[in-house]
Amino acid sequence: DMKVTQMPRYLIKRMGENVLLECGQDMSHETMYWYRQDPGLGLQLIYISYDVDSNSEGDIPKGYRVSRKKREHFSLILDSAKTNQTSVYFCASSFNRNTEVFFGKGTRLTVV
Amino acid sequence: GEKVEQHESTLSVREGDSAVINCTYTDTASSYFPWYKQEAGKGLHFVIDIRSNVDRKQSQRLIVLLDKKAKRFSLHITATQPEDSAIYFCAAASSGSWQLIFGSGTQLTVMP
């Protein structure tokens, strides 16, 4: 069953709190991604991970960090969340470049 | 860097009619052009893609056209059905890149 699973689905945090978004995939994909989706902006890449402990910044990495200690898990961390980080966050994975990307259902994060 | 512009932010069609969503890109090195569908409250789901070695691809009711000279590609949905209602995202990537650049999305509504 090819799946990308994100937890939690909904999260409300206060400004300044730390946030941990978790993602898992069961396809043994080497490459995983974190995107955020904002109205009218499409999806913006935050980080890409090519394998365990092999991570690269995407277009909007500021204020975020990631952790990949196992191939099937990829975490997004917000240290001291800000209100402008309110968004929907999607985790994704793919087998190879220029092939189908599989997305999770998203985490709606609200920072108040 | 690459920019992908999705021209229609909303599109309404009557059931049974065709829908066309247009995208343009800026990077002549782009060679991979996927389309994704997002239903309400869900993640993105791959629907079809086209590579730069062809200018047309069809999968059932979906047709993708690519005009490399104009740096334009389009998704045609024929004989639309209510379940086609969703947000559609175009994207582009160069052959050497892992990163997809997404358009801002088109909300398609198919009216009975």
Side-chain angles (χ1 to χ4, degrees), chain A residues 56-92:
Chain A
S56 287
E57 294 180 345
D59 294 325
I60 52 163
K62 190 177 176 185
Y64 304 94
R65 61 184 173 93
V66 292
S67 175
R68 184 130 179 243
K69 298 301 182 186
K70 291 183 179 180
R71 179 170 285 182
E72 61 269 23
H73 289 133
F74 191 31
S75 301
L76 180 69
I77 301 121
L78 288 68
D79 294 315
S80 187
K82 299 170 181 51
T83 54
N84 62 7
Q85 293 178 308
T86 292
S87 187
V88 180
Y89 291 86
F90 286 100
C91 176

Side-chain angles (χ1 to χ4, degrees), chain B residues 27-98:
Chain B
D27 188 352
T28 51
S30 288
S31 59
Y32 176 64
F33 306 92
W35 289 84
Y36 286 81
K37 176 182 181 182
Q38 184 181 32
E39 293 168 277
K42 296 186 180 178
L44 278 70
H45 178 73
F46 172 85
V47 289
I48 192 170
D49 62 11
I50 190 167
R51 298 176 194 275
S52 59
N53 58 338
V54 297
D55 54 21
R56 184 183 192 276
K57 183 174 180 179
Q58 181 166 2
S59 174
Q60 299 181 316
R61 294 185 297 109
L62 302 178
I63 301 168
V64 181
L65 302 178
L66 173 63
D67 181 344
K68 292 188 288 291
K69 256 189 202 171
K71 288 189 274 187
R72 181 172 56 220
F73 59 114
S74 56
L75 175 67
H76 299 244
I77 307 173
T78 62
T80 53
Q81 301 166 1
E83 52 265 38
D84 294 328
S85 295
I87 302 175
Y88 289 82
F89 290 93
C90 61
S94 65
S95 60
S97 174
W98 284 93

